[in-house]
Amino acid sequence: MHAEPSSSARTATGLLAYLLVGLSFGIVLVKSEAASWYRIQEMFRFESFHMFGLIGSAVLTGLVTTAMLRRSGVKSRDGQTIRVTDKEKGWRRYVFGGLTFGVGWGLAGVCPGPIFTLLGAGVWPMLVVLLFALLGTWAYGALQTRLPH
Amino acid sequence: MTELLDFLRSPWPWYVGGPLIGLTVPLLLWLGNKPFGISSNLRHACAILLPDRAKPGFFKYNWRAEKWNLMFAAGLVLGGFVAGVLLANPEPARLSAAGVRSIQELGVQVRPGLVPAELADPGNPGVWLLLAVSGLLVGFGTRYGGGCTSGHAITGLATLQGPSLIATVSFFAGGILSANLLLPLFLTVIR
């Protein structure tokens, strides 16, 4: 089942909705200080509950509300059944890839969301992080078939 | 008026921010069955930028179907401007006493702002190196591991995905290692 948008206007309003969700998410990242280098350092040294409370309550809220949404039988806005795609099975890629990302995260204190948000906040050096993150993504694409997954 | 502005500029406690972050998962599912994740945008950007002939197979897919995610990323930039420029918190983050001590031991001052000036100093080649290495590892690692904090630690755990638990534990293991060992080493060398 593939619901084609009835008009380009509908596609545009649909895309606008994602822009707005991104906008509010960006505001939350800054206001909750998840985009703060200081808070990330504090988290990785286990010196404050703040980030653990933030991530923990996010997961718990997501868990409960997503389960409620799926159980309610409500369809998505375009009339489809709500479905959650299962992550690919295995462990190697998650351990090796996860460790690599984690080391990068601890070094500059930014994960992908804050890279974009900090750019908006005028932290220009994040352009260097973004550029090299693109290079890293490309490197993965080029090496993919030779890496254990 | 100034009171309202002060309120809007103040940071939020974790129990306000956390639930709002968690709500993004059902919201995106309801809007169009979209899996919440941000690092995929780096893949889309490569798919858009790379010329067809030089494209590894990993970037040959219909990125136009993922335009929503690029809009989401554009929204993140706007959100950063609204909260980080227009409504910037004039105070430094209220870290724990232990947090302040550790950060000062790194040779970094706790000032207002999201990133310390010491790590945003364009005149220091060591800072460029730190940012470049970090970006490279983030880009490579998120694609290899199939997601970042939002895709695995939030969405994956909230939808009870075993692989996401493995990924999240690995993120933290890597982060603890680099924040406690590599970063201090790096900062000693670059200053």
Side-chain angles (χ1 to χ4, degrees):
Chain A
M1 293 299 279
H2 208 81
E4 287 297 330
S6 49
S7 69
S8 57
R10 178 148 172 220
T11 317
T13 50
L15 286 176
L16 193 65
Y18 295 112
L19 183 83
L20 292 176
V21 182
L23 170 75
S24 62
F25 192 72
I27 293 175
V28 176
L29 282 181
V30 173
K31 282 292 149 188
S32 66
E33 299 179 321
S36 162
W37 178 90
Y38 300 101
R39 286 291 192 188
I40 302 293
Q41 292 303 322
E42 203 187 32
M43 166 179 79
F44 282 139
R45 292 184 171 74
F46 299 97
E47 289 164 339
S48 161
F49 180 72
H50 181 85
M51 286 298 295
F52 296 100
L54 197 72
I55 297 176
S57 62
V59 171
L60 202 67
T61 307
L63 182 87
V64 173
T65 53
T66 304
M68 279 165 55
L69 180 70
R70 296 179 75 186
R71 208 162 287 184
S72 71
V74 169
K75 303 272 184 198
S76 71
R77 203 178 40 137
D78 50 358
Q80 299 184 39
T81 307
I82 304 284
R83 60 189 144 69
V84 176
T85 319
D86 282 339
K87 307 276 181 204
E88 212 177 286
K89 296 280 168 252
W91 60 271
R92 285 182 186 83
R93 65 175 302 181
Y94 300 111
V95 172
F96 303 144
L99 280 172
T100 312
F101 163 51
V103 171
W105 186 13
L107 270 185
V110 283
C111 48
I115 293 180
F116 294 105
T117 304
L118 289 170
L119 272 177
V123 185
W124 302 118
M126 285 300 130
L127 278 174
V128 180
V129 181
L130 179 63
L131 192 74
F132 279 86
L134 289 174
L135 205 63
T137 305
W138 168 79
Y140 171 74
L143 297 172
Q144 190 190 23
T145 51
R146 278 178 262 171
L147 295 166
H149 278 78
Chain B
M1 188 61 203
T2 37
E3 274 155 33
L4 178 67
L5 204 57
D6 283 348
F7 173 74
L8 291 174
R9 282 169 168 168
S10 335
W12 300 343
W14 62 264
Y15 48 83
V16 173
L20 289 174
I21 292 175
L23 282 175
T24 316
V25 180
L27 184 58
L28 288 177
L29 285 173
W30 176 74
L31 275 175
N33 265 324
K34 306 300 187 204
F36 171 45
I38 297 164
S39 59
S40 320
N41 282 307
L42 301 170
R43 183 187 184 189
H44 305 329
C46 285
I48 294 169
L49 293 172
L50 288 170
D52 264 333
R53 276 178 305 136
K55 243 183 211 182
F58 184 63
F59 300 110
K60 288 179 183 152
Y61 63 96
N62 178 22
W63 58 265
R64 284 183 179 80
E66 309 295 333
K67 261 192 284 192
W68 73 272
N69 208 351
L70 294 162
M71 290 296 280
F72 186 83
L76 286 176
V77 176
L78 288 178
F81 177 72
V82 171
V85 177
L86 300 181
L87 301 172
N89 177 13
E91 307 281 328
R94 277 191 212 133
L95 305 175
S96 67
V100 172
R101 238 184 347 263
S102 307
I103 281 164
Q104 285 169 344
E105 273 165 23
L106 286 173
V108 173
Q109 294 309 307
V110 183
R111 297 190 201 87
L114 296 160
V115 175
E118 290 87 345
L119 292 181
D121 174 12
N124 184 345
V127 166
W128 286 78
L129 185 65
L130 177 79
L131 297 173
V133 171
S134 172
L136 206 59
L137 295 173
V138 167
F140 186 85
T142 50
R143 267 328 4 103
Y144 191 3
C148 59
T149 332
S150 55
H152 279 310
I154 308 292
T155 312
L157 293 185
T159 55
L160 303 172
Q161 308 278 330
S164 291
L165 183 63
I166 304 175
T168 305
V169 170
S170 308
F171 296 166
F172 273 87
I176 291 163
L177 181 85
S178 81
N180 288 281
L181 298 174
L182 295 182
L183 182 67
L185 203 68
F186 225 113
L187 289 175
T188 320
V189 174
I190 69 173
R191 55 188 55 250

